[in-house]
Amino acid sequence: MQYGICNLSIVSIRQDPNDTSEMVAQLLYGDHIKVLEHRKFWSKIRVAFDNVEGWVCNKQFLFIAEEDYSKIENIKEVPFSADLVSFVTSSSGNDLMPIVLGSSLQNLSLLQHIFDGTQINGIQSKEKLIPTALLYLNSPFLWGGKTPFGIDSSGLTQMVYKINGYNLLRSAIEQSQQGEALSFIEESEPGDLAFFDNNDGIINHVGIIMQDNYIIHSFGKVRVDRIDHTGIFNTEIKNYTHKLRVIKKII
């Protein structure tokens, strides 16, 4: 088994080993990975945080020793960048690279970088979830995206929880299997997750419950809409856009 780390700000994880293949997720700066298969130009990887698998260009990550990987795994409280955009510089000060909200900072010494910005680490209170989610407001929808420059619905929920010290899986259907189900929307509180299904009954969307029957979610862009027992109501088009399936209390 080989191991690696993302040394760039944002890297695409693709379904197949080529640049035109569907992007299934992204690596952010500092994410560490297992390398399942190494080819000349591409490697199949598994992300340590959520076990997402896919293909990454070999020029967009660094191999690290198993010992370094194990040290990373043993870090209890991971610090994350807390600004929309922060910067890291090389130890020599010659290189400057922007990194995005939610980048992992536990590997700065391994990458020989110095961080310039605000960071957050450890488990935060549930009340911190909504302010974090609002940092992504108006970010465009991007399938597989996890950044303020493009994010999907489960990427939004995963990143908001991750920055505040909680682990969510990657897809909406996986996240719907976590936590405790609530019987009524009236039982929910800000920070709980609402899941929605399509006409085939497959869960394909998720958002974060806010106060006063509002929800923040990624649909076209990260936006705030009304929610009730039927689903998400878009006041702009005066219609429901998503059918509510279940509400889950994760913390």
Side-chain angles (χ1 to χ4, degrees):
M1 180 72 70
Q2 294 178 290
Y3 305 90
I5 188 172
C6 181
N7 62 322
L8 301 177
S9 55
I10 308 165
V11 170
S12 296
I13 303 175
R14 300 197 178 275
Q15 184 71 44
D16 298 304
N18 64 76
D19 288 318
T20 60
S21 178
E22 175 187 343
M23 185 176 75
V24 298
Q26 291 176 320
L27 291 175
L28 302 188
Y29 175 86
D31 286 345
H32 60 293
I33 58 176
K34 289 184 177 179
V35 180
L36 307 178
E37 180 181 346
H38 180 57
R39 298 183 182 178
K40 184 177 181 180
F41 299 111
W42 294 81
S43 291
K44 187 174 185 180
I45 60 99
R46 178 186 297 140
V47 183
F49 179 77
D50 56 13
N51 292 324
V52 165
E53 294 185 6
W55 293 88
V56 172
C57 175
N58 290 339
K59 296 187 291 292
Q60 296 187 317
F61 72 95
L62 293 179
F63 283 101
I64 60 174
E66 182 177 1
E67 179 184 356
D68 291 324
Y69 183 92
S70 298
K71 288 180 180 178
I72 296 170
E73 284 286 277
N74 289 329
I75 296 175
K76 300 300 182 183
E77 293 188 352
V78 177
F80 297 103
S81 58
D83 300 318
L84 285 177
V85 178
S86 305
F87 295 91
V88 292
T89 57
S90 62
S91 299
S92 65
N94 294 328
D95 296 320
L96 177 70
M97 183 173 68
I99 62 173
V100 297
L101 177 65
S103 297
S104 302
L105 303 176
Q106 80 270 35
N107 302 313
L108 290 170
S109 59
L110 181 62
L111 292 168
Q112 297 184 344
H113 284 159
I114 299 169
F115 174 70
D116 183 11
T118 307
Q119 68 180 57
I120 182 173
N121 71 304
I123 296 176
Q124 307 298 310
S125 65
K126 192 173 184 178
E127 289 74 21
K128 300 287 188 180
L129 293 174
I130 299 304
T132 302
L134 289 171
L135 292 174
Y136 290 93
L137 193 63
N138 292 316
S139 300
F141 177 88
L142 176 65
W143 179 260
K146 297 173 63 174
T147 82
F149 302 104
I151 198 164
D152 60 24
S153 69
S154 57
L156 173 66
T157 52
Q158 186 190 53
M159 289 304 301
V160 168
Y161 270 71
K162 181 180 180 180
I163 290 167
N164 286 282
Y166 304 96
N167 287 22
L168 286 182
L169 298 174
R170 180 59 182 93
S171 69
I173 194 166
E174 289 174 322
Q175 292 176 11
S176 71
Q177 298 165 8
Q178 299 179 251
E180 171 193 355
L182 302 179
S183 300
F184 303 100
I185 193 171
E186 289 78 13
E187 297 178 355
S188 68
E189 58 187 18
D192 292 339
L193 300 184
F195 295 90
F196 309 85
D197 58 15
N198 59 20
N199 292 332
D200 296 322
I202 298 173
I203 290 175
N204 63 351
H205 193 72
V206 60
I208 304 175
I209 299 286
M210 303 176 69
Q211 289 182 331
D212 302 323
N213 295 321
Y214 284 95
I215 186 171
I216 184 168
H217 64 129
S218 182
F219 182 59
K221 64 178 181 179
V222 176
R223 55 182 294 130
V224 174
D225 286 309
R226 302 287 296 181
I227 183 173
D228 58 27
H229 65 280
T230 299
I232 297 176
F233 186 81
N234 185 317
T235 56
E236 295 172 2
I237 63 174
K238 295 180 172 53
N239 203 356
Y240 287 93
T241 59
H242 297 83
K243 182 179 63 173
L244 182 62
R245 172 70 171 270
V246 66
I247 296 174
K248 285 293 192 78
K249 182 181 295 295
I250 306 297
I251 55 177

